[in-house]
Amino acid sequence: MAHPVSSHSRPPAPLKHVMLSEIVAVTSIMRKNSRWASSSLVVTSRDSPALGTNMGLRISSPAHQTRVSGRGIREAELMAGFLQLKRGVKDMNDIRQANLTDLLSPFFSILRSPLSTGPITSAALSALHSFFVCGLIAPDSPGLDAALIELSSTISHCKFEASDSSGDEVVLLKIMTVIQDCLCGSVGGGLGDIEVCEMLETVLTTCCQMRLSETLRRSAETTMHTLVRVVFSKLYSLDPEEEEAKLLATAADDAETELRMSVTTEGELSSSTKDETDTEKDSAQTEGKQSIEEIGPEMPVVPSVNRPAFGLPSILELLRVLVNVLDPNDQQHTDSTRLMALGILNAAFEESGSMMAKFPSLKAIVVDTGCKFLFQLARSENTMVLHWALRTISTILDTMRIHLKLQQELFLTFTIDRLAPPIPGNFNKGGTLMLSNSKSRSYSPSPKPGTPATGSPSVAPVDKGDAETTASTSSRPVVPPARGETRDMILETLSNIAGHPSFMVDLYTNYDCDINCEDLFERLVDFLTKTVHPTNHVGSMESQRNAQYICLDLLLSFVNDMTARVENDESTSAWPSDSLSAETLLQKKSKKQLILTGATRFNSKPKTGLAFLEENKLIYADLSPEISKPRSLAIFLKGSNRIDKRLLGDFLSRPDNTELLKEYMSLFDFKDKPIAEAIRELLEAFRLPGESQQISRIAETFAAAYFAAKPAEIKSEDATHVLTFSIIMLNTDQHNPSIRKRMTIDDYKRNLRGVNDGSDFSDEFLQNIFDSIRKREIIMPEEHTGLLGFEYAWKELLTRSRQTGDFIVCNTSAFDKEMFKAVWRPVISAIAYAFITFEDDYIIQRAIAGFRQCATLAGHFGLPDVFDYVVVSLSQATGLLSEPPLSQVPNYPVIDVEGQAITVSRLSVEFGTNFRGQLAAVVLFNIVNGNGNFLREGWTQIFEMLKNLFLYSMLPTRMLQMEDFLGGVAIIPLQGTQLQKNPSRNDGGLLSALSSYLMAPYSSDQYVPEATDADIENSLSAVDCIKSCRLDELYSQIIQLEPEALVAAVRALEALAHERTVAKLKINSDDVPPVDGQPYQLPYDPASVFLLEIMVSITMQAPQNIEELWPIVFEHLSTLLKSSTQYSILLIERAVVCLLRLCQLLAQNPSLRDQAYVAFDLLAGLPTNISNLVGEQIMAGLIHVIEKNKDIIKYQTEWNLIFALIRSTMSRAEAARMSLELVESLTAEGTNNAVTTDNFVGLLTVCDDFVTLAGTVQEQHQHRGRRVEPLTSANSPIISRAKKAIDLLPSLHQKLVSFVQSTQIEENQAWKTMALPLLIVLGRHSVHPTREIRHNAISHLQRILLGSPLTNDAEQKKVEEVFNRVVFPLVDELLRPQVAARDPQGMPETRLRGSALLCKVFMHLELRESRVKTDFRLLWIQVLDLLDRLMNVNRGDQLYEAVPESLKNVLLVMNAVGILVPPGSGEDELQKTLWLNTHERMERFLPGYLTEVIPIPDTVTAESNTS
């Protein structure tokens, strides 16, 4: 209500008019009442003597006195006051200059008079209201202070005769209006503490009068709210230190005038009125003392010039009264009264905000009784009381949080206990702080030693570590769960309390990192996450869903706030420098978990617990000369409130723990402490055991420790011992309810006579002990029950709150990582559940944001497990993880939509209708895109979804394009096909298995269902969603991952591929028996090929990580290839291609080149039927590897692997062609020639194999019939390759010569291992079924033998080897009929060339002057034998004539060099023998031919004839 600041803002005339009008209004109503009807005459009669005297007249007074006696006099005086005021006002020029007390005095008199009726009092109150409104009562009015004092007193003691209840309540409403005008208006600041208290008490008592109407009480309550806000707003203008000092000074100076307010709900109408039900009663009954405890003696109406304005005293008293009304154990007040007080208190806290905490006197009330009563009301069954209690608690915690650390812990713990579903089998082992006077006990936040709580549970799952760190460490009671509306209100309150960004951080730093506090952060998150999931412990579905929404909102807010701190450092606050550092708190948190585990194990089995504590250096780590083992253990036991107090008492009192008990006792400070208090402190630390010997042992040790502190009055240790027992017994006697006759002080004194070392204790000493125990029971641990236990535990909480310090509020990011690590799994699980099950769009949107934020946090903190969990959770929501129902993918219709081929499959239709699944997919892949480095196990789900999308033809085309050595880019078929021969190929080979990849995905002969319009539309939606997922971008990003993430991705692929191949084969082969001796073969699975291709493609595009990836991929490939006959040939072919593609990378990495040879060896070991089918791919890949890395193969062992691969694939036409091209490139002339001593033999063998294969093919061809045209290089690629191969041998020989000349190899070794084998190969193929091949071979052989440096001047041994292993076998083969039958028409020519070769080689190698002395008779005879056979093999051919000519040339040369000389020429013995042998052998097939060619000298002939 607005009021003028000054009365001078109005002209004096209106104010004067208002005053006169209000006088008339009041007096008019007074005259209407019969009691006041003659008051004007009475006044005139009373006033006439003065007037007569002034005129000189004598007036008799007795008659006047008779008329105006009794009540009439009082009524006349009231009326006269208004008449006098009226006269005075009329004479005033400016009413504002008049003293305010004089102006208002008649009105005050009416209000104070018990003769006044309701209408009259109402008129007077209305007048006062008008004066406030018009500004007559203004801050600058003369005598304002005195007027306000009298106004306050008058309003507070307003009396009137009751009439009808409605009229009387109007009066009360106007009283409150005037009070509001006064306190809330411009003059309110001038009120003193007493006046404010009087007014507030008046309104407050009206609020509490249950006899008044609901309307009046609600109006009074509204007024009280307004007044309280005004009063408490004064705190902002007060100086706390100055006000507190004044308060202390006032209390010390004048304790008797202390402000006191009280509120009652029984008695009269209000604290300031008399509700007189009988109008005939005397006005004395209007005092209303039964309805109010007055502030003090009635204030005299005298000005108080130096009276200070109201301040802290009145605010403090108001707060005290309001808090006391809340006491649930005070039967004087009802729930209605408490409800009113709660609303007023809430308004006070809302108005004052954090200012109240700056005043220690106010804070003390809130921290102690305020919180205590409010927390107890939080268990109220009255819904409105509960609502306002929770609201007020929420307001207090919001405004005074930093000063209510333990109080907030208690409330939050209680709240969670009530909201969380009960845990079966959980029970309370000890008394703890409770929020009601029932015997069920709640958690005592961080109790001091002696309080009963034994631990706090960890939110982490049991499998996180030791089970002892879970709820078993807590003695949490079973709190009745809140249900229905109560649950909703508590949840809403929790939501309000947790509304600020730093709430979770504050919980973690203040409680979870404090060994003496609950793990409130973890407990709260655990509760929130579990509540998001459905439970059977709540009421209606609406209530359950509301709880789920609230808890989810809190979780999402927690994640959002943490993300904001991570992404924006400016939004965070620096950790207070005057507090423990963040690192220290985190260490305490870690240590807390160890202590909880150790304490739990100790409570279960002390020996085990001590071993654990010692192992983790929680005890005995501080040993020194001053600290022994018993003392170290005693320090831990006394300082840990997690130890079971009952067990502790038993453990300490054991006979073998005497030293420990002494050290434990020495930790107490008993100096100058009364023995009753010392025993109280001791017995609060542990529970006294039950056995008398144990009690005696503890009592003796205590007596020794206490007596050592030199207490007064006690003369000996024995006296201390006896006195200790007496106090324990006295405590039981005084407080055990089963004892009826209790001990008196005299009894107690009598029991202790002569105990004090033969003398008595003083009466005062024993009286003090007796009074201490009688008034305050020694409550042992686990005996804290009922209201007494609660009061005790609350005092302990207050004690600890003074030691624990303030609640630190800081929106810091220093703890975010550890917080997130502790709770990420249930949080993400809850978000995922909400996303999957909730229907509200806003919730779904928030859940999506939550997923993204969790992923952001996982990346920021480097927690791949979190990222994995997000991916797993979202992937389950996509619906893309479902497997195809059949082992073979069915045919689905392919629809052309605007030039785009759309496959309408089961998955595309289902996914197109699953909007939530589409959202999950988009969110999932958007999260993974750019964050792949943080993903580990989640790759399995990613690739599982990609695999299913592939099976249903929903992947982008780019992800299906796989590289190939032969065809470039290929598409993986969704169905397997049979390999077929291709008769149109010029090379006569078989199609590569890859050719089937280029076929359509489906066979045209199978049924294809029709697609409906709805199916097409849904499929289009699915395709659009997949496009939004940007799968191709993800595929591109994978190759850029960091090594660890990349390895995880490839491992996931390998695991999926292994499951679909190796594992599946093992399962099926065990179930399916072999057929016709053939092992079970796994049907073609396109998914296995897809996974393999993706795996290898990723590896190929990440060459920098080949060392990490190769073992993973090779393990899978080798497993497939080692069982190649049991898999589809399509899969094996792809495995071969992939392996060779990887070999390209291996070849580029020197440290992994040996792995390439392992791969080659694996390929070379493939079964023949497999290598025949995949030969093209093997050779194409091999050539690619060698061409790109020419230096990869250096040594013979390595070359042997290459040549083994070539030989294994030679039967495939295309493979053979590529193999020969490779050999040709290796043996090419020039700088590109790659023939070395290491590969020479291998190349020779390969060429030999080519030619041999051609011979086999030629023979098979000839067996078809005589009319079959023989194969030639013109019509047969095989013959052509053989011809090329045989033509490569001279080049090899030439290279070999260069090796010898360059001393790369020793000549003899070269001859034995290279030259001679080459000659043998040429000799063997000189009888090849194909004419052109054998002619080329024999020609090459002849040129080499006649022109090679290796054979020139060769020693006889080599010559003999040439003839015995090359020439002779060659000619001998030519003479065989079977050989001749291979080519009847061409073989004579070959024989002719063979005979010429025989003769020429013999002449070249043997017929030299240097060999004259060489004995080659045997060799020569063999030559003659072969010539004999050649000549006579077919007498009709050219050979019959050619042999003699060739032989003639040989004989002439032999003669010319002096090897073969006729007799009589001076020959030696060797020559004689050679001639005789030659003559003898030639005579068999050419008689006389020798002497014809080499005539015998005539002398020799003559001698011969003579003889």
Side-chain angles (χ1 to χ4, degrees), residues 1086-1115:
S1088 60
V1089 177
F1090 171 77
L1091 294 170
L1092 175 63
E1093 291 289 356
I1094 293 288
M1095 175 166 50
V1096 174
S1097 178
I1098 291 173
T1099 306
M1100 287 297 298
Q1101 297 180 70
Q1104 69 278 9
N1105 298 307
I1106 184 62
E1107 292 188 18
E1108 294 83 6
L1109 302 180
W1110 163 253
I1112 304 171
V1113 182
F1114 180 70
E1115 180 182 2

Side-chain angles (χ1 to χ4, degrees), residues 256-272:
E256 293 184 358
T257 60
E258 180 184 5
L259 287 176
R260 300 297 295 178
M261 289 175 59
S262 67
V263 178
T264 60
T265 58
E266 303 295 334
E268 308 303 326
L269 275 175
S270 71
S271 62
S272 58

Side-chain angles (χ1 to χ4, degrees), residues 919-1050:
L919 282 177
V922 172
V923 173
L924 168 61
F925 287 105
N926 284 341
I927 287 175
V928 176
N929 268 320
N931 293 293
N933 285 323
F934 309 114
L935 198 58
R936 296 295 183 270
E937 300 299 328
W939 285 115
T940 301
Q941 278 69 30
I942 296 294
F943 292 124
E944 184 81 13
M945 289 186 286
L946 295 182
K947 176 206 69 179
N948 289 338
L949 291 173
F950 158 74
L951 292 175
Y952 288 101
S953 303
M954 296 173 65
L955 275 184
T957 305
R958 177 172 177 264
M959 299 185 68
L960 304 177
Q961 296 177 347
M962 307 305 169
E963 294 184 11
D964 187 70
F965 296 122
L966 298 179
V969 176
I971 303 299
I972 302 174
L974 292 178
Q975 295 182 349
T977 57
Q978 296 294 328
L979 295 179
Q980 300 175 354
K981 293 184 179 181
N982 185 359
S984 64
R985 289 283 291 265
N986 292 330
D987 58 6
L990 297 177
L991 268 178
S992 164
L994 184 64
S995 62
S996 61
Y997 282 30
L998 303 179
M999 300 174 64
Y1002 307 113
S1003 300
S1004 59
D1005 57 347
Q1006 295 188 8
Y1007 170 74
V1008 178
E1010 294 185 0
T1012 64
D1013 292 341
D1015 291 343
I1016 296 174
E1017 186 64 30
N1018 292 329
S1019 297
L1020 287 173
S1021 299
V1023 170
D1024 291 341
C1025 176
I1026 297 302
K1027 287 181 180 179
S1028 301
C1029 293
R1030 301 179 294 153
L1031 298 182
D1032 49 350
E1033 291 185 25
L1034 171 63
Y1035 187 70
S1036 302
Q1037 291 176 5
I1038 291 177
I1039 62 176
Q1040 301 174 4
L1041 295 176
E1042 295 176 357
E1044 189 175 355
L1046 187 61
V1047 168
V1050 174

